[in-house]
Amino acid sequence: MADVARRAGVSSQTVSRVSNGHPGVVDRTREQVLAAMRELGYRPNSAARALRSGRFRTIGVILFSLSTTGNVRTLDAIATSAAAEGYAITVIPVEAPTQDGVNGAFTRMGELAVDAVILLMEVHLLDAASISLPTDVPVVVADSDAGDRYPVVDTDQAAGSRTAVEHLLGLGHRTVVHLAGPSESFSAQRREDAWRRTLHEAGRDVPPVYRGDWSAASGYAAGQEIARTDATAVFAANDQMALGLLRALAEAGRKVPQDVSVVGFDDLPDAVAYLPPLTTVHQDFAEVGRRCVAGVLRQMADRTIPHGRTLVPTRLVERASTAAP
């Protein structure tokens, strides 16, 4: 930095302000400093800067899987929001949802020196007594249940599911079959509970649950069974399983929506291109990511760890896959 300052004919403080992107440096001076940096091959030393400031400008993300659409889109939103705030992200996938795997991820995250951690995993499956996070590391949990331990940012799963079921009942369907996600998934369980509760409150029969693993293949397998029933309306816990369901219904000669109405959950970009275009519950992944990043940054700023759940609203997007029975 001293070499750059001498070459540019400015103070070291001015070089520091330019390298950190601070305002208040006139354009001509800024260009002199940048030219000197290029000539000398100068790059700011982030490790030294972190030692001096105590901040690494990095947020860690620990997650179980990169294979699900929800995790990928939430991670993308977190990365975009973090970059907008001048932070990078470090991702640590946990190969198996075991205590050893999670503890190992926490250890690696500590070694990588992050300012905060976002947990994108099914925290309710973990034994809290065997996991210890440094008390001075801000933590936010996304799309899960952390009890009273950490603040949570989640899509309003219950309201979204209620909207889907009420939409189908409002069209005149006697009841609604549910194609649920995996039983160990917090999001899947919340959607299933809301589906069942909405039918109970409406005084309707609650059909048996068909279960998939979030994939289109599992939706197809469950759809083959559903196609053999007299179901006229199906609420699928995500759009990918709904895609498999649509194929199974088509192969069985059950037309959508003339014979069976289908509602999904997620509102994937491709949902509009399904045949027919899919009615679905829109999740605002970008807002979930923004609130996760805002949550850890707020903790860093005021040194407190708030608790409670922040719910991001959903909305029903009506397309051509639903109609009166």
Side-chain angles (χ1 to χ4, degrees):
M1 188 174 289
D3 292 339
V4 172
R6 282 192 295 270
R7 176 65 65 92
V10 299
S11 67
S12 293
Q13 183 180 11
T14 298
V15 175
S16 177
R17 293 176 66 82
V18 171
S19 66
N20 285 290
H22 289 175
V25 180
V26 299
D27 290 344
R28 181 178 177 181
T29 301
R30 185 183 303 278
E31 185 50 45
Q32 285 178 231
V33 173
L34 293 174
M37 286 180 178
R38 290 191 293 269
E39 291 170 13
L40 296 175
Y42 170 81
R43 290 187 301 169
N45 188 318
S46 59
R49 181 182 298 169
L51 289 173
R52 183 173 65 253
S53 67
R55 293 286 176 87
F56 301 96
R57 308 295 297 182
T58 301
I59 297 171
V61 181
I62 300 177
L63 75 172
F64 280 157
S65 172
L66 279 167
S67 63
T68 65
T69 299
N71 276 4
V72 170
R73 295 190 68 186
T74 303
L75 179 62
D76 177 67
I78 290 170
T80 300
S81 297
E85 297 291 342
Y87 281 76
I89 66 166
T90 294
V91 179
I92 299 290
V94 179
E95 293 184 3
T98 63
Q99 296 301 315
D100 287 344
V102 173
N103 284 331
F106 286 150
T107 299
R108 292 196 301 277
M109 196 62 79
E111 293 170 351
L112 291 168
V114 298
D115 297 307
V117 175
I118 295 173
L119 303 179
L120 187 53
M121 57 171 55
E122 303 292 347
V123 174
H124 67 292
L125 299 177
L126 307 177
D127 178 8
S130 69
I131 295 176
S132 59
L133 280 175
T135 56
D136 59 342
V137 175
V139 175
V140 167
V141 175
D143 292 340
S144 188
D145 182 10
D148 296 328
R149 287 174 283 162
Y150 309 116
V152 173
V153 177
D154 188 19
T155 294
D156 196 340
Q157 315 283 351
S161 299
R162 174 180 289 276
T163 301
V165 176
E166 289 178 343
H167 169 67
L168 291 166
L169 295 180
L171 289 171
H173 295 275
R174 180 175 51 83
T175 190
V176 178
V177 170
H178 186 41
L179 173 49
S183 57
E184 67 273 11
S185 166
F186 168 81
S187 298
Q189 192 60 57
R190 282 294 173 95
R191 295 171 197 178
E192 181 181 336
D193 289 346
W195 159 79
R196 181 176 286 105
R197 186 165 56 251
T198 304
L199 289 180
H200 274 306
E201 291 174 357
R204 307 302 177 91
D205 293 336
V206 180
V209 173
Y210 297 84
R211 197 170 301 281
D213 61 8
W214 298 128
S215 69
S218 71
Y220 174 70
Q224 290 178 308
E225 298 180 41
I226 294 172
R228 290 193 288 268
T229 72
D230 60 355
T232 65
V234 183
F235 166 44
N238 78 338
D239 289 352
Q240 286 182 296
M241 291 193 298
L243 176 62
L245 169 65
L246 291 175
R247 176 191 167 194
L249 291 172
E251 290 181 353
R254 304 287 300 278
K255 295 180 180 180
V256 177
Q258 292 91 335
D259 300 322
V260 184
S261 288
V262 176
V263 177
F265 200 111
D266 281 341
D267 193 21
L268 298 181
D270 290 341
V272 71
Y274 287 10
L275 190 61
L278 184 67
T279 295
T280 185
V281 177
H282 177 81
Q283 286 201 80
D284 193 342
F285 291 101
E287 183 64 12
V288 170
R290 189 193 68 77
R291 294 195 188 191
C292 285
V293 172
V296 293
L297 294 182
R298 186 167 57 251
Q299 291 178 52
M300 281 190 274
D302 58 26
R303 295 295 179 182
T304 61
I305 301 180
H307 298 291
R309 179 180 297 275
T310 298
L311 292 179
V312 176
T314 59
R315 58 183 172 86
L316 185 72
V317 180
E318 294 186 43
R319 299 193 179 101
S321 66
T322 53

